[in-house]
PDB file of all heavy atoms in Angstrom:
ATOM      1  N   ASP Y  27     208.988 289.616 184.264  1.00 90.00           N
ATOM      2  CA  ASP Y  27     209.418 289.629 182.921  1.00 90.00           C
ATOM      3  C   ASP Y  27     208.839 288.482 182.070  1.00 90.00           C
ATOM      4  O   ASP Y  27     208.454 288.714 180.925  1.00 90.00           O
ATOM      5  CB  ASP Y  27     210.984 289.537 182.834  1.00 90.00           C
ATOM      6  CG  ASP Y  27     211.684 290.813 183.317  1.00 90.00           C
ATOM      7  OD1 ASP Y  27     210.988 291.842 183.378  1.00 90.00           O
ATOM      8  OD2 ASP Y  27     212.828 290.733 183.760  1.00 90.00           O
ATOM      9  N   ARG Y  28     208.781 287.364 182.679  1.00 89.00           N
ATOM     10  CA  ARG Y  28     208.185 286.125 182.010  1.00 89.00           C
ATOM     11  C   ARG Y  28     206.712 286.407 181.746  1.00 89.00           C
ATOM     12  O   ARG Y  28     206.177 286.081 180.688  1.00 89.00           O
ATOM     13  CB  ARG Y  28     208.327 284.925 182.871  1.00 89.00           C
ATOM     14  CG  ARG Y  28     209.822 284.417 182.987  1.00 89.00           C
ATOM     15  CD  ARG Y  28     209.930 283.268 183.973  1.00 89.00           C
ATOM     16  NE  ARG Y  28     211.249 282.940 184.310  1.00 89.00           N
ATOM     17  CZ  ARG Y  28     211.667 282.018 185.252  1.00 89.00           C
ATOM     18  NH1 ARG Y  28     210.614 281.367 185.869  1.00 89.00           N
ATOM     19  NH2 ARG Y  28     212.935 281.822 185.459  1.00 89.00           N
ATOM     20  N   ALA Y  29     205.989 286.895 182.693  1.00 89.00           N
ATOM     21  CA  ALA Y  29     204.535 287.257 182.517  1.00 89.00           C
ATOM     22  C   ALA Y  29     204.347 288.328 181.437  1.00 89.00           C
ATOM     23  O   ALA Y  29     203.505 288.187 180.644  1.00 89.00           O
ATOM     24  CB  ALA Y  29     204.047 287.760 183.844  1.00 89.00           C
ATOM     25  N   ARG Y  30     205.254 289.246 181.337  1.00 87.00           N
ATOM     26  CA  ARG Y  30     205.179 290.297 180.390  1.00 87.00           C
ATOM     27  C   ARG Y  30     205.302 289.763 178.959  1.00 87.00           C
ATOM     28  O   ARG Y  30     204.674 290.225 178.021  1.00 87.00           O
ATOM     29  CB  ARG Y  30     206.156 291.371 180.670  1.00 87.00           C
ATOM     30  CG  ARG Y  30     206.037 292.708 179.943  1.00 87.00           C
ATOM     31  CD  ARG Y  30     207.084 293.633 180.236  1.00 87.00           C
ATOM     32  NE  ARG Y  30     206.823 294.101 181.636  1.00 87.00           N
ATOM     33  CZ  ARG Y  30     207.785 293.840 182.635  1.00 87.00           C
ATOM     34  NH1 ARG Y  30     208.898 293.228 182.368  1.00 87.00           N
ATOM     35  NH2 ARG Y  30     207.597 294.282 183.842  1.00 87.00           N
ATOM     36  N   THR Y  31     206.266 288.844 178.755  1.00 85.00           N
ATOM     37  CA  THR Y  31     206.569 288.309 177.469  1.00 85.00           C
ATOM     38  C   THR Y  31     205.685 287.136 177.128  1.00 85.00           C
ATOM     39  O   THR Y  31     205.384 286.836 175.899  1.00 85.00           O
ATOM     40  CB  THR Y  31     208.021 287.883 177.331  1.00 85.00           C
ATOM     41  OG1 THR Y  31     208.256 286.892 178.347  1.00 85.00           O
ATOM     42  CG2 THR Y  31     208.955 289.200 177.479  1.00 85.00           C
ATOM     43  N   GLY Y  32     205.264 286.360 178.164  1.00 83.00           N
ATOM     44  CA  GLY Y  32     204.483 285.133 177.910  1.00 83.00           C
ATOM     45  C   GLY Y  32     203.044 285.236 178.109  1.00 83.00           C
ATOM     46  O   GLY Y  32     202.270 284.235 177.876  1.00 83.00           O
ATOM     47  N   GLY Y  33     202.617 286.444 178.708  1.00 84.00           N
ATOM     48  CA  GLY Y  33     201.137 286.544 178.834  1.00 84.00           C
ATOM     49  C   GLY Y  33     200.628 285.924 180.167  1.00 84.00           C
ATOM     50  O   GLY Y  33     199.429 285.734 180.228  1.00 84.00           O
ATOM     51  N   GLY Y  34     201.464 285.702 181.124  1.00 88.00           N
ATOM     52  CA  GLY Y  34     200.987 285.175 182.314  1.00 88.00           C
ATOM     53  C   GLY Y  34     200.722 286.199 183.390  1.00 88.00           C
ATOM     54  O   GLY Y  34     200.599 287.345 183.015  1.00 88.00           O
ATOM     55  N   THR Y  35     200.517 285.745 184.579  1.00 91.00           N
ATOM     56  CA  THR Y  35     200.155 286.649 185.745  1.00 91.00           C
ATOM     57  C   THR Y  35     201.131 286.440 186.840  1.00 91.00           C
ATOM     58  O   THR Y  35     201.751 285.367 186.902  1.00 91.00           O
ATOM     59  CB  THR Y  35     198.653 286.438 186.121  1.00 91.00           C
ATOM     60  OG1 THR Y  35     198.680 285.100 186.647  1.00 91.00           O
ATOM     61  CG2 THR Y  35     197.677 286.641 185.145  1.00 91.00           C
ATOM     62  N   VAL Y  36     201.249 287.425 187.749  1.00 92.00           N
ATOM     63  CA  VAL Y  36     202.063 287.294 188.884  1.00 92.00           C
ATOM     64  C   VAL Y  36     201.323 288.015 190.024  1.00 92.00           C
ATOM     65  O   VAL Y  36     200.894 289.095 189.934  1.00 92.00           O
ATOM     66  CB  VAL Y  36     203.492 287.960 188.733  1.00 92.00           C
ATOM     67  CG1 VAL Y  36     204.295 287.854 190.020  1.00 92.00           C
ATOM     68  CG2 VAL Y  36     204.240 287.288 187.600  1.00 92.00           C
ATOM     69  N   GLY Y  37     201.141 287.238 191.186  1.00 92.00           N
ATOM     70  CA  GLY Y  37     200.573 287.856 192.368  1.00 92.00           C
ATOM     71  C   GLY Y  37     201.587 288.168 193.365  1.00 92.00           C
ATOM     72  O   GLY Y  37     202.699 287.465 193.505  1.00 92.00           O
ATOM     73  N   VAL Y  38     201.521 289.236 194.085  1.00 94.00           N
ATOM     74  CA  VAL Y  38     202.386 289.663 195.148  1.00 94.00           C
ATOM     75  C   VAL Y  38     201.622 289.934 196.518  1.00 94.00           C
ATOM     76  O   VAL Y  38     200.550 290.606 196.422  1.00 94.00           O
ATOM     77  CB  VAL Y  38     203.217 290.903 194.769  1.00 94.00           C
ATOM     78  CG1 VAL Y  38     203.962 291.432 196.034  1.00 94.00           C
ATOM     79  CG2 VAL Y  38     204.140 290.657 193.623  1.00 94.00           C
ATOM     80  N   LEU Y  39     202.039 289.354 197.485  1.00 95.00           N
ATOM     81  CA  LEU Y  39     201.404 289.445 198.800  1.00 95.00           C
ATOM     82  C   LEU Y  39     202.448 290.100 199.706  1.00 95.00           C
ATOM     83  O   LEU Y  39     203.579 289.718 199.816  1.00 95.00           O
ATOM     84  CB  LEU Y  39     200.990 288.169 199.487  1.00 95.00           C
ATOM     85  CG  LEU Y  39     200.171 287.225 198.672  1.00 95.00           C
ATOM     86  CD1 LEU Y  39     199.787 285.947 199.464  1.00 95.00           C
ATOM     87  CD2 LEU Y  39     198.820 287.851 198.196  1.00 95.00           C
ATOM     88  N   LEU Y  40     201.986 291.186 200.481  1.00 94.00           N
ATOM     89  CA  LEU Y  40     202.775 291.753 201.551  1.00 94.00           C
ATOM     90  C   LEU Y  40     202.099 291.457 202.913  1.00 94.00           C
ATOM     91  O   LEU Y  40     200.887 291.837 203.002  1.00 94.00           O
ATOM     92  CB  LEU Y  40     202.933 293.259 201.415  1.00 94.00           C
ATOM     93  CG  LEU Y  40     203.956 293.671 200.277  1.00 94.00           C
ATOM     94  CD1 LEU Y  40     204.119 295.240 200.327  1.00 94.00           C
ATOM     95  CD2 LEU Y  40     205.326 293.102 200.505  1.00 94.00           C
ATOM     96  N   LEU Y  41     202.786 290.854 203.827  1.00 95.00           N
ATOM     97  CA  LEU Y  41     202.226 290.447 205.117  1.00 95.00           C
ATOM     98  C   LEU Y  41     202.828 291.161 206.209  1.00 95.00           C
ATOM     99  O   LEU Y  41     204.108 291.375 206.254  1.00 95.00           O
ATOM    100  CB  LEU Y  41     202.502 288.937 205.290  1.00 95.00           C
ATOM    101  CG  LEU Y  41     201.792 287.885 204.462  1.00 95.00           C
ATOM    102  CD1 LEU Y  41     202.405 287.898 203.040  1.00 95.00           C
ATOM    103  CD2 LEU Y  41     201.956 286.481 205.066  1.00 95.00           C
ATOM    104  N   ASP Y  42     202.074 291.562 207.221  1.00 93.00           N
ATOM    105  CA  ASP Y  42     202.634 292.219 208.387  1.00 93.00           C
ATOM    106  C   ASP Y  42     202.033 291.692 209.688  1.00 93.00           C
ATOM    107  O   ASP Y  42     200.798 291.612 209.783  1.00 93.00           O
ATOM    108  CB  ASP Y  42     202.435 293.745 208.222  1.00 93.00           C
ATOM    109  CG  ASP Y  42     203.116 294.572 209.388  1.00 93.00           C
ATOM    110  OD1 ASP Y  42     202.468 294.661 210.428  1.00 93.00           O
ATOM    111  OD2 ASP Y  42     204.130 295.102 209.143  1.00 93.00           O
ATOM    112  N   LEU Y  43     202.859 291.216 210.559  1.00 93.00           N
ATOM    113  CA  LEU Y  43     202.328 290.669 211.774  1.00 93.00           C
ATOM    114  C   LEU Y  43     201.778 291.712 212.635  1.00 93.00           C
ATOM    115  O   LEU Y  43     202.424 292.798 212.904  1.00 93.00           O
ATOM    116  CB  LEU Y  43     203.499 289.859 212.579  1.00 93.00           C
ATOM    117  CG  LEU Y  43     203.960 288.642 211.874  1.00 93.00           C
ATOM    118  CD1 LEU Y  43     205.058 288.044 212.731  1.00 93.00           C
ATOM    119  CD2 LEU Y  43     202.816 287.593 211.954  1.00 93.00           C
ATOM    120  N   ASP Y  44     200.550 291.486 213.182  1.00 93.00           N
ATOM    121  CA  ASP Y  44     199.913 292.577 213.952  1.00 93.00           C
ATOM    122  C   ASP Y  44     200.491 292.573 215.379  1.00 93.00           C
ATOM    123  O   ASP Y  44     200.642 291.533 215.998  1.00 93.00           O
ATOM    124  CB  ASP Y  44     198.427 292.187 214.050  1.00 93.00           C
ATOM    125  CG  ASP Y  44     197.691 292.221 212.578  1.00 93.00           C
ATOM    126  OD1 ASP Y  44     198.141 292.973 211.852  1.00 93.00           O
ATOM    127  OD2 ASP Y  44     196.799 291.344 212.351  1.00 93.00           O
ATOM    128  N   HIS Y  45     200.690 293.732 215.875  1.00 90.00           N
ATOM    129  CA  HIS Y  45     201.124 294.079 217.243  1.00 90.00           C
ATOM    130  C   HIS Y  45     202.420 293.315 217.543  1.00 90.00           C
ATOM    131  O   HIS Y  45     202.538 292.740 218.776  1.00 90.00           O
ATOM    132  CB  HIS Y  45     199.945 293.735 218.234  1.00 90.00           C
ATOM    133  CG  HIS Y  45     198.693 294.343 217.899  1.00 90.00           C
ATOM    134  ND1 HIS Y  45     198.530 295.635 218.015  1.00 90.00           N
ATOM    135  CD2 HIS Y  45     197.451 293.788 217.510  1.00 90.00           C
ATOM    136  CE1 HIS Y  45     197.268 295.991 217.682  1.00 90.00           C
ATOM    137  NE2 HIS Y  45     196.685 294.854 217.410  1.00 90.00           N
ATOM    138  N   PHE Y  46     203.395 293.098 216.616  1.00 91.00           N
ATOM    139  CA  PHE Y  46     204.478 292.339 216.831  1.00 91.00           C
ATOM    140  C   PHE Y  46     205.458 293.009 217.847  1.00 91.00           C
ATOM    141  O   PHE Y  46     206.298 292.384 218.637  1.00 91.00           O
ATOM    142  CB  PHE Y  46     205.215 291.988 215.546  1.00 91.00           C
ATOM    143  CG  PHE Y  46     206.437 291.090 215.697  1.00 91.00           C
ATOM    144  CD1 PHE Y  46     206.354 289.774 215.938  1.00 91.00           C
ATOM    145  CD2 PHE Y  46     207.787 291.610 215.633  1.00 91.00           C
ATOM    146  CE1 PHE Y  46     207.422 288.923 216.197  1.00 91.00           C
ATOM    147  CE2 PHE Y  46     208.823 290.851 215.793  1.00 91.00           C
ATOM    148  CZ  PHE Y  46     208.654 289.534 216.103  1.00 91.00           C
ATOM    149  N   LYS Y  47     205.484 294.335 217.765  1.00 89.00           N
ATOM    150  CA  LYS Y  47     206.226 295.082 218.672  1.00 89.00           C
ATOM    151  C   LYS Y  47     206.156 294.730 220.203  1.00 89.00           C
ATOM    152  O   LYS Y  47     207.062 294.716 221.009  1.00 89.00           O
ATOM    153  CB  LYS Y  47     206.039 296.673 218.435  1.00 89.00           C
ATOM    154  CG  LYS Y  47     206.977 297.518 219.302  1.00 89.00           C
ATOM    155  CD  LYS Y  47     206.895 298.956 218.969  1.00 89.00           C
ATOM    156  CE  LYS Y  47     207.786 299.857 219.690  1.00 89.00           C
ATOM    157  NZ  LYS Y  47     207.581 299.760 221.224  1.00 89.00           N
ATOM    158  N   ALA Y  48     204.931 294.432 220.504  1.00 90.00           N
ATOM    159  CA  ALA Y  48     204.554 293.924 221.817  1.00 90.00           C
ATOM    160  C   ALA Y  48     205.337 292.739 222.336  1.00 90.00           C
ATOM    161  O   ALA Y  48     205.773 292.653 223.447  1.00 90.00           O
ATOM    162  CB  ALA Y  48     203.117 293.829 222.052  1.00 90.00           C
ATOM    163  N   ILE Y  49     205.508 291.766 221.317  1.00 90.00           N
ATOM    164  CA  ILE Y  49     206.279 290.658 221.640  1.00 90.00           C
ATOM    165  C   ILE Y  49     207.736 290.969 221.912  1.00 90.00           C
ATOM    166  O   ILE Y  49     208.351 290.421 222.971  1.00 90.00           O
ATOM    167  CB  ILE Y  49     206.103 289.617 220.430  1.00 90.00           C
ATOM    168  CG1 ILE Y  49     204.621 289.211 220.319  1.00 90.00           C
ATOM    169  CG2 ILE Y  49     207.024 288.476 220.652  1.00 90.00           C
ATOM    170  CD1 ILE Y  49     204.359 288.204 219.129  1.00 90.00           C
ATOM    171  N   ASN Y  50     208.365 291.827 221.105  1.00 87.00           N
ATOM    172  CA  ASN Y  50     209.705 292.181 221.285  1.00 87.00           C
ATOM    173  C   ASN Y  50     209.913 292.885 222.692  1.00 87.00           C
ATOM    174  O   ASN Y  50     210.943 292.669 223.452  1.00 87.00           O
ATOM    175  CB  ASN Y  50     210.156 293.011 220.160  1.00 87.00           C
ATOM    176  CG  ASN Y  50     210.633 292.267 218.916  1.00 87.00           C
ATOM    177  OD1 ASN Y  50     210.994 291.070 219.083  1.00 87.00           O
ATOM    178  ND2 ASN Y  50     210.583 292.844 217.817  1.00 87.00           N
ATOM    179  N   ASP Y  51     208.940 293.763 222.896  1.00 87.00           N
ATOM    180  CA  ASP Y  51     208.998 294.592 224.138  1.00 87.00           C
ATOM    181  C   ASP Y  51     208.830 293.689 225.439  1.00 87.00           C
ATOM    182  O   ASP Y  51     209.388 293.938 226.453  1.00 87.00           O
ATOM    183  CB  ASP Y  51     207.974 295.707 224.177  1.00 87.00           C
ATOM    184  CG  ASP Y  51     208.241 296.787 223.084  1.00 87.00           C
ATOM    185  OD1 ASP Y  51     209.420 296.798 222.576  1.00 87.00           O
ATOM    186  OD2 ASP Y  51     207.348 297.519 222.707  1.00 87.00           O
ATOM    187  N   THR Y  52     207.943 292.710 225.292  1.00 87.00           N
ATOM    188  CA  THR Y  52     207.605 291.829 226.382  1.00 87.00           C
ATOM    189  C   THR Y  52     208.750 290.728 226.581  1.00 87.00           C
ATOM    190  O   THR Y  52     209.235 290.541 227.739  1.00 87.00           O
ATOM    191  CB  THR Y  52     206.257 291.186 226.276  1.00 87.00           C
ATOM    192  OG1 THR Y  52     205.362 292.253 226.143  1.00 87.00           O
ATOM    193  CG2 THR Y  52     205.947 290.380 227.494  1.00 87.00           C
ATOM    194  N   TYR Y  53     209.133 290.112 225.587  1.00 86.00           N
ATOM    195  CA  TYR Y  53     209.928 288.923 225.773  1.00 86.00           C
ATOM    196  C   TYR Y  53     211.377 289.143 225.245  1.00 86.00           C
ATOM    197  O   TYR Y  53     212.267 288.257 225.528  1.00 86.00           O
ATOM    198  CB  TYR Y  53     209.350 287.714 224.977  1.00 86.00           C
ATOM    199  CG  TYR Y  53     207.900 287.370 225.419  1.00 86.00           C
ATOM    200  CD1 TYR Y  53     206.879 287.724 224.652  1.00 86.00           C
ATOM    201  CD2 TYR Y  53     207.697 286.791 226.585  1.00 86.00           C
ATOM    202  CE1 TYR Y  53     205.558 287.418 225.025  1.00 86.00           C
ATOM    203  CE2 TYR Y  53     206.453 286.411 227.017  1.00 86.00           C
ATOM    204  CZ  TYR Y  53     205.317 286.808 226.212  1.00 86.00           C
ATOM    205  OH  TYR Y  53     204.086 286.497 226.618  1.00 86.00           O
ATOM    206  N   GLY Y  54     211.641 290.160 224.549  1.00 88.00           N
ATOM    207  CA  GLY Y  54     212.870 290.428 223.954  1.00 88.00           C
ATOM    208  C   GLY Y  54     213.049 289.913 222.530  1.00 88.00           C
ATOM    209  O   GLY Y  54     212.345 289.148 222.045  1.00 88.00           O
ATOM    210  N   HIS Y  55     214.071 290.478 221.810  1.00 86.00           N
ATOM    211  CA  HIS Y  55     214.269 290.272 220.384  1.00 86.00           C
ATOM    212  C   HIS Y  55     214.546 288.837 220.032  1.00 86.00           C
ATOM    213  O   HIS Y  55     214.088 288.387 218.954  1.00 86.00           O
ATOM    214  CB  HIS Y  55     215.290 291.245 219.769  1.00 86.00           C
ATOM    215  CG  HIS Y  55     214.789 292.610 219.609  1.00 86.00           C
ATOM    216  ND1 HIS Y  55     214.771 293.597 220.720  1.00 86.00           N
ATOM    217  CD2 HIS Y  55     214.151 293.273 218.587  1.00 86.00           C
ATOM    218  CE1 HIS Y  55     214.144 294.748 220.275  1.00 86.00           C
ATOM    219  NE2 HIS Y  55     213.881 294.514 219.016  1.00 86.00           N
ATOM    220  N   PRO Y  56     215.427 288.047 220.879  1.00 86.00           N
ATOM    221  CA  PRO Y  56     215.728 286.737 220.550  1.00 86.00           C
ATOM    222  C   PRO Y  56     214.373 285.896 220.464  1.00 86.00           C
ATOM    223  O   PRO Y  56     214.134 285.004 219.585  1.00 86.00           O
ATOM    224  CB  PRO Y  56     216.585 286.228 221.760  1.00 86.00           C
ATOM    225  CG  PRO Y  56     217.287 287.513 222.110  1.00 86.00           C
ATOM    226  CD  PRO Y  56     216.282 288.518 221.933  1.00 86.00           C
ATOM    227  N   ILE Y  57     213.449 286.113 221.380  1.00 88.00           N
ATOM    228  CA  ILE Y  57     212.128 285.424 221.312  1.00 88.00           C
ATOM    229  C   ILE Y  57     211.339 285.894 220.142  1.00 88.00           C
ATOM    230  O   ILE Y  57     210.690 285.128 219.368  1.00 88.00           O
ATOM    231  CB  ILE Y  57     211.265 285.645 222.639  1.00 88.00           C
ATOM    232  CG1 ILE Y  57     212.061 285.062 223.733  1.00 88.00           C
ATOM    233  CG2 ILE Y  57     209.960 284.984 222.403  1.00 88.00           C
ATOM    234  CD1 ILE Y  57     212.374 283.589 223.682  1.00 88.00           C
ATOM    235  N   GLY Y  58     211.372 287.192 219.822  1.00 89.00           N
ATOM    236  CA  GLY Y  58     210.731 287.660 218.586  1.00 89.00           C
ATOM    237  C   GLY Y  58     211.295 287.025 217.386  1.00 89.00           C
ATOM    238  O   GLY Y  58     210.448 286.715 216.438  1.00 89.00           O
TER     239      GLY Y  58
END
């Protein structure tokens, strides 16, 4: 909203850990 009214910019990053399911499967969700 601020960028729209003030002429600024906003960047958005979406991050996904690669092969994270293997950590949960190997060590359990608490370690994950």
Side-chain angles (χ1 to χ4, degrees):
D27 287 341
R28 292 175 191 172
R30 191 178 296 115
T31 57
T35 60
V36 178
V38 170
L39 308 181
L40 285 184
L41 295 71
D42 187 277
L43 287 177
D44 298 325
H45 306 295
F46 183 75
K47 184 177 182 298
I49 295 177
N50 281 334
D51 291 345
T52 304
Y53 302 105
H55 286 83
I57 298 300

